[in-house]
Amino acid sequence: MDLRAVAPRPSPAERAAVDTVLGPPESGWAGGRRDSATDGHAARGGHEARSRRHLLLPALHAVQARVGWISEPALGYICRRLTIPPAEAYGVATFYSLFSTAPQPPAVAHICDDIACRVASAEAVCADLERALGPARTASPDGRTTWLRSPCLGQCDRAPAALLTVAGERPVSAAIAPADAAGILRQLEHAATGMAPGTPTSAPIGPSVPQAGAPGLRLLARVGTVDPTSVDAYRAAGGYRALERALAIGPDRTIAEVTAARLVGRGGAAFPTGRKWAAVAAAPARPHYVVCNADESEPGTFKDRILMEEDPFAVVEAMTIEAFATGAERGFLYLRAEYPLAAERLTNALARTRGAGLLGPDILGSGFAFEIELRRGAGAYVCGEETALFNSIEGKRGEPRNKPPFPVERGLFGRPTAINNVETLANVLPILADGAAAYAATGTDGSTGTKLFCLSGNVARPGLYEVPFGTTLGELLDLAGGVRDGRHIQAILLGGAAGTFVGSDRLDTPLTFEGTRAIGASLGSGVVMVFDDATDLLDILRRIAAFFRDESCGQCVPCRVGTVRQEELLHRLANGHPRGTAADELALLGEIGRAMRDASICGLGQTASSAIESALRQPGLVRL
Amino acid sequence: MTLDPIFTTPLARPSRVPTAPSRPEPAPVELSIDGRAATVPTGSTILEACRAQGIDTPTLCFLENLTPVNVCRICVVEVTGSRVLVPACSRTVEPGMEIQTDSDRVRHSRKMVLEFLGSSVDLSLAPDVARYMERYGADPARYGPVAETVAQPVKIDNELYVRDYSRCILCYKCVEACGVDAQNTFAIAVAGRGFDARISTEANVPLPASACVYCGNCIGVCPTGALMFRSEFEMRRAGTWDEAAQTQTDTICPYCGVGCTLTLHVQDNEIVTVTSPLDQQITEGHLCIKGRFGFRFVQNRAEGE
């Protein structure tokens, strides 16, 4: 058998990109310059190198951002530096949609064609781009630009949205919303001519948060009113009162407060936060970790993005409290890569808090030490699932793990881990600052506090709204100005692609965990997407089916194949060529959905048919 | 004058092979399976408990000598109190667990898993699957003739074995056998995502350009014939493969001192494939390139012999 030929060397740019993340190579063994004095015959690497496996994604990001794609030599160099088998690293690189292992032009426009943007004529934008640049995923004639379709970019209040990424020495990543083909082409032009594209200045937050500045807001109190880049402004606006109180009362009473407030997770699963923290705090294995799940990817959801962009210090403070309560010294903030402004604001917030002694070896002089690292996803909805997220941080494919064991017992790096969604963490601050009783006075018995709702679709004033639990769906829609252009509601999607469609007869439903459960729906991540009577709902359902097919990790059979069969079935319905009657198809859809719900490993497969089935089950909601 | 002997007789060896100190018996766990009380040792999986009760639980991605990955989901059972079905192969038993192995939910999920696989993968060389399909009433044809499949050309890029990923159900067994569960070569991994996920070498290069060492342990664990000896593949193509006419003979590998047990599969006085028993202490079913493929010399007979 032939020995494998030495892989071609990475280009200087690829090597430099990797070295910025991993540092210069220590020896000739790791791809550095050969030097007989230092290289010798000693084996280097081993456990030490393998323990840096978690740097795989950052290294891949570095190459992608510098060169625009990840070549075989670049991947080989990363593998050599981190002692990762190339086949495994290739498996990781091909898992994430924002990494390209085939040559790709440096300037890429990712056009969101997901449900909210679809309602806002994203297809027209795509058609214009196709006319100007050719089909998606093909390079423009000069080889400098391309465009491709993307799942939800979390800018649904300003749909249609696009994400522009430009690789180079000074890489650019910026959201454009609302986007039009002419604007996108102009930005691509800038990138193609080598000029740094005018970074689209972040739009003023006002329109996205219509309530900004109103009295009585808890979670949005600082949004739009306090400078999100200044730690002093944050402290002047009441920031770090909660941490001071936590440090004063100690970890046990901090957890007791959160438990007494009856806070439950806002990521979709509604698990009691206090119980989670108590379990991690009591877990004997060490070290403990805290993780902030900021991989908000549920179509229609943008609440965490606005919190992180406009109130980033709150996320840092809440994670610090969580770490203090659960006995962790290290935290990871896992942010989806489609949120460049949030990344910038959080990076700044981490630096500022470190500088002010609010993060690091001795926080507020208490002796408590805690450090947070920002990690970016790379385009995978499934990484919002907590165990897939751990695998992603660890440098693996974002495949969910089987539970049990649960994260509180074996989470990140196999250690007890407290993982919470951004909005959940934001709730911790008022609980600590004002006390559990004051917090729980708002809302209902089963759902305490306030909730953020992401309104999008055909509403007059789409955006982020904070209302007390118990507000009815109709009241919330009134707050957003009702249906746009005086049209009528055809359906409302609650909870996102993994949620449920309800009809306009449900407007009196109180928006609480128990209230939505009573009508067979769920709050999910707080999505309220309105479709008026002019919407082709079957087309929306088809897009949801395509979404789950694209985002299934492929690990378990029910989800990997079930999402494909579900999409095929919806195509047949939409094309008017059902196998048998439409009723036969609905029965088959029910069977597919039931198997995915019962037998899939994680929540993605378990909810992949939820919205589609809910829409088709209600007589008259969808015209077949 | 007598000289002291230079060579002494070695001390008598202990009369029995030393064994590890005995561990205390694991405490028994009491649970119920299909309404009948059962007692199994702590740490058993539900699958082991079911098998101990004589309940035939279908498995595809499970193999005794590999870490359970619970991805095929055909072994799912219903556990009272659990919102979703649980994989029997990896879930350990707990006291008081109430398990249903043949409820309506269980039968439905198993049927659908079989239909999903049957409608997307060529399962014609997976004999167990046909039996399961009949048991659970699976009908893969009902997704129509245009249902998407994983069909693709066979990869023939070396003399020793072929890879036909049209038959691959993505059970991860070959990846495990290539990795920490046996060979520690890591030549293959899962690449891509969702329905497009495939077993792949780095950058999908042919095997001779990959890290593969041709131990063939991936063939040994493949449940659907996606990985196959080149010899078997050629015979099947020529129509001469006849499993009924084959004999199996256990012998010891002639190459090194480890002493692996080989099972020679012989047809028409020719060795056609080599395996090793899963329950063999030394190999646990795994071999190296020599034991697995180095049998041609046996049949290189001289002219006219």
Side-chain angles (χ1 to χ4, degrees):
Chain A
M1 214 52 57
D2 291 334
L3 283 177
R4 177 147 195 220
V6 175
R9 289 171 180 280
S11 73
E14 289 167 337
R15 177 185 281 265
V18 175
D19 289 351
T20 49
V21 177
L22 304 180
E26 283 172 8
S27 71
W29 299 102
R33 218 153 55 84
R34 285 200 177 185
D35 181 349
S36 55
T38 55
D39 288 354
H41 285 278
R44 287 167 207 264
H47 182 72
E48 196 189 322
R50 279 196 300 278
S51 70
R52 301 208 301 166
R53 165 79 185 247
H54 63 98
L55 293 172
L56 177 56
L57 255 70
L60 291 170
H61 263 303
V63 175
Q64 178 75 38
R66 178 69 186 81
V67 190
W69 68 289
I70 298 156
S71 71
E72 224 185 311
L75 195 65
Y77 181 59
I78 295 173
C79 290
R80 229 170 138 175
R81 296 295 314 276
L82 296 175
T83 320
I84 300 174
E88 259 186 42
Y90 179 72
V92 174
T94 52
F95 183 86
Y96 297 94
S97 63
L98 291 179
F99 294 145
S100 176
T101 50
Q104 182 174 275
V108 184
H110 307 254
I111 313 299
C112 176
D113 69 347
D114 218 323
I115 40 180
C117 287
R118 217 169 175 76
V119 173
S121 313
E123 280 307 315
V125 177
C126 290
D128 287 348
L129 288 178
E130 186 156 352
R131 263 192 300 280
L133 298 173
R137 289 192 181 279
T138 52
S140 60
D142 63 359
R144 292 277 311 169
T145 60
T146 188
W147 73 282
L148 38 89
R149 289 167 181 270
S150 162
C152 184
L153 293 169
Q155 309 275 354
C156 320
D157 54 316
R158 295 179 287 164
L163 177 76
L164 184 73
T165 56
V166 186
E169 266 177 79
R170 284 170 43 226
V172 176
S173 176
I176 310 172
D180 57 73
I184 293 164
L185 287 169
R186 207 164 44 241
Q187 295 285 350
L188 285 173
E189 183 95 349
H190 276 300
T193 50
M195 291 160 54
T199 311
T201 44
S202 54
I205 197 65
S208 291
V209 186
Q211 293 167 303
L217 295 178
R218 266 185 195 171
L219 307 174
L220 299 178
R222 283 176 293 264
V223 169
T225 59
V226 176
D227 180 1
T229 62
S230 158
V231 69
D232 295 330
Y234 177 71
R235 293 198 77 170
Y240 280 96
R241 265 202 310 137
L243 178 62
E244 280 166 2
R245 171 128 190 280
L247 292 173
I249 63 178
D252 293 349
R253 282 187 57 202
T254 300
I255 295 177
E257 284 278 347
V258 174
T259 309
R262 284 173 281 145
L263 173 65
V264 302
R266 306 288 200 244
F271 189 82
T273 306
R275 239 166 76 196
K276 192 185 278 186
W277 289 18
V280 174
R286 296 273 158 177
H288 296 175
Y289 291 104
V290 298
V291 175
C292 173
N293 185 345
D295 192 52
E296 173 176 75
S297 313
E298 186 65 50
T301 317
F302 48 88
K303 60 186 177 72
D304 295 346
R305 173 179 62 79
I306 290 181
L307 283 179
M308 290 184 290
E309 287 176 357
E310 298 301 322
D311 201 9
F313 293 98
V315 182
V316 177
E317 182 186 355
M319 279 184 77
T320 312
I321 294 171
E322 184 182 22
F324 176 69
T326 58
E329 291 183 356
R330 216 169 152 188
F332 289 87
L333 205 164
Y334 186 91
L335 177 71
R336 72 182 299 209
E338 291 86 344
Y339 286 174
L341 182 61
E344 186 188 312
R345 296 263 164 91
L346 286 166
T347 306
N348 174 66
L350 291 174
R352 299 288 163 120
T353 44
R354 256 177 229 130
L358 298 163
L359 194 65
D362 181 19
I363 294 171
L364 284 171
S366 65
F368 168 59
F370 180 57
E371 196 40 77
I372 298 176
E373 230 178 285
L374 181 72
R375 286 298 173 88
R376 287 192 304 145
Y381 168 72
V382 72
C383 288
E385 200 281 340
E386 52 191 11
T387 56
L389 190 153
F390 297 150
N391 278 342
S392 187
I393 293 180
E394 291 177 19
K396 299 172 185 159
R397 293 164 59 81
E399 290 174 352
R401 306 171 184 168
N402 211 54
K403 291 187 271 193
F406 291 95
V408 294
E409 195 188 323
R410 291 230 299 271
L412 184 63
F413 301 115
R415 303 291 174 201
T417 304
I419 175 165
N420 286 112
N421 163 265
V422 174
E423 186 190 350
T424 315
L425 287 173
N427 276 282
V428 168
L429 302 181
I431 291 173
L432 264 296
D434 307 327
Y439 177 89
T442 308
T444 64
D445 276 354
S447 312
T448 56
T450 59
K451 176 81 190 88
L452 295 178
F453 288 99
C454 311
L455 274 89
S456 61
N458 303 117
V459 286
R461 284 191 298 278
L464 186 61
Y465 292 84
E466 177 181 358
V467 292
F469 274 112
T471 306
T472 66
L473 183 53
E475 287 164 354
L476 183 64
L477 290 185
D478 289 344
L479 208 55
V483 184
R484 198 184 296 163
D485 306 329
R487 299 198 73 98
H488 296 286
I489 295 172
Q490 182 179 179
I492 302 165
L493 178 60
L494 291 182
T500 351
F501 281 95
V502 298
S504 52
D505 55 329
R506 298 296 194 185
L507 292 181
D508 57 348
T509 306
L511 294 171
T512 56
F513 294 110
E514 61 277 16
T516 46
R517 205 176 299 132
I519 61 162
S522 75
L523 285 185
S525 56
V527 170
V528 177
M529 200 181 289
V530 178
F531 301 96
D532 68 19
D533 47 6
T535 313
D536 178 358
L537 213 51
L538 202 49
D539 179 60
I540 298 293
L541 297 186
R542 199 158 57 164
R543 181 64 185 94
I544 292 175
F547 173 81
F548 281 109
R549 182 218 164 114
D550 292 344
E551 298 297 335
S552 167
C553 79
Q555 193 184 191
C556 71
V557 176
C559 175
R560 180 177 75 232
V561 188
T563 52
V564 174
R565 295 292 171 256
Q566 172 173 268
E567 194 202 10
E568 290 169 347
L569 192 150
L570 280 166
H571 272 289
R572 292 198 295 266
L573 282 179
N575 298 340
H577 297 296
R579 278 177 67 76
T581 64
D584 292 340
E585 292 283 33
L586 293 191
L588 180 58
L589 181 70
E591 284 196 46
I592 295 172
R594 187 177 170 208
M596 288 200 285
R597 198 158 48 247
D598 268 352
S600 295
I601 291 180
C602 80
L604 188 152
Q606 288 161 12
T607 57
S609 70
S610 149
I612 294 167
E613 278 193 83
S614 74
L616 293 172
R617 229 180 9 236
Q618 296 173 54
L621 199 62
V622 183
R623 290 180 293 272
L624 286 179
Chain B
M1 172 183 150
T2 56
L3 292 171
D4 287 339
I6 296 172
F7 300 105
T8 54
T9 325
L11 290 173
R13 301 178 72 169
S15 58
R16 61 179 178 84
V17 183
T19 53
S22 66
R23 292 208 195 95
E25 276 285 300
V29 173
E30 289 181 9
L31 48 96
S32 96
I33 304 181
D34 294 338
R36 287 189 315 195
T39 308
V40 294
T42 303
S44 310
T45 61
I46 294 178
L47 181 67
E48 286 164 346
C50 287
R51 287 187 172 167
Q53 302 298 305
I55 297 167
D56 179 18
T57 306
T59 58
L60 287 171
C61 70
F62 174 81
L63 201 62
E64 284 78 358
N65 58 358
L66 301 172
T67 314
V69 286
N70 58 67
V71 297
C72 77
R73 316 303 280 184
I74 199 173
C75 70
V76 287
V77 295
E78 193 170 346
V79 173
T80 307
S82 171
R83 183 174 52 86
V84 292
L85 302 180
V86 305
C89 65
S90 63
R91 182 70 172 270
T92 47
V93 293
E94 291 155 30
M97 228 179 203
E98 290 174 27
I99 299 163
Q100 300 283 328
T101 70
D102 205 37
S103 67
D104 182 46
R105 281 177 80 188
V106 170
R107 292 188 66 89
H108 178 75
S109 282
R110 290 182 180 175
K111 177 187 84 168
M112 296 302 283
V113 164
L114 288 164
E115 286 188 355
F116 287 160
L117 289 176
S119 61
S120 57
V121 184
D122 177 358
L123 295 173
S124 55
L125 294 182
D128 285 346
V129 175
R131 195 164 52 84
Y132 297 148
M133 284 209 182
E134 197 169 324
R135 188 201 296 177
Y136 294 104
D139 173 20
R142 66 175 169 147
Y143 300 92
V146 292
E148 206 173 328
T149 69
V150 297
Q152 57 183 297
V154 185
K155 288 185 193 304
I156 308 174
D157 53 17
N158 67 87
E159 293 299 312
L160 300 180
Y161 73 103
V162 299
R163 298 176 290 155
D164 182 0
Y165 289 130
S166 307
R167 301 180 188 280
C168 175
I169 58 167
L170 219 65
C171 68
Y172 287 60
K173 279 178 180 169
C174 56
V175 177
E176 290 202 291
C178 191
V180 287
D181 275 355
Q183 193 60 29
N184 282 291
T185 289
F186 307 99
I188 48 172
V190 180
R193 188 167 82 190
F195 196 71
D196 301 323
R198 300 280 183 273
I199 304 295
S200 173
T201 56
E202 65 262 32
N204 208 9
V205 296
L207 277 183
S210 78
C212 178
V213 297
Y214 301 91
C215 62
N217 289 331
C218 51
I219 313 174
V221 297
C222 180
T224 58
L227 304 173
M228 192 181 276
F229 276 77
R230 181 81 182 262
S231 50
E232 178 180 345
F233 179 77
E234 301 291 358
M235 287 174 76
R236 282 184 185 275
R237 196 149 64 171
T240 55
W241 180 260
D242 183 5
E243 214 153 308
Q246 289 171 14
T247 58
Q248 298 185 10
T249 308
D250 282 3
T251 182
I252 303 292
C253 180
Y255 283 102
C256 78
V258 172
C260 298
T261 301
L262 303 181
T263 303
L264 307 178
H265 300 244
V266 179
Q267 180 182 332
D268 301 330
N269 208 27
E270 298 267 336
I271 299 169
V272 287
T273 58
V274 176
T275 59
S276 183
L278 279 193
D279 56 359
Q280 216 266 333
Q281 279 188 0
I282 296 169
T283 67
E284 291 185 335
H286 304 303
L287 293 170
C288 74
I289 181 172
K290 293 187 251 180
R292 180 88 59 186
F293 295 109
F295 54 79
R296 294 273 166 80
F297 73 94
V298 177
Q299 42 217 53
N300 279 352
R301 303 186 187 90
E303 197 73 17
E305 198 175 327

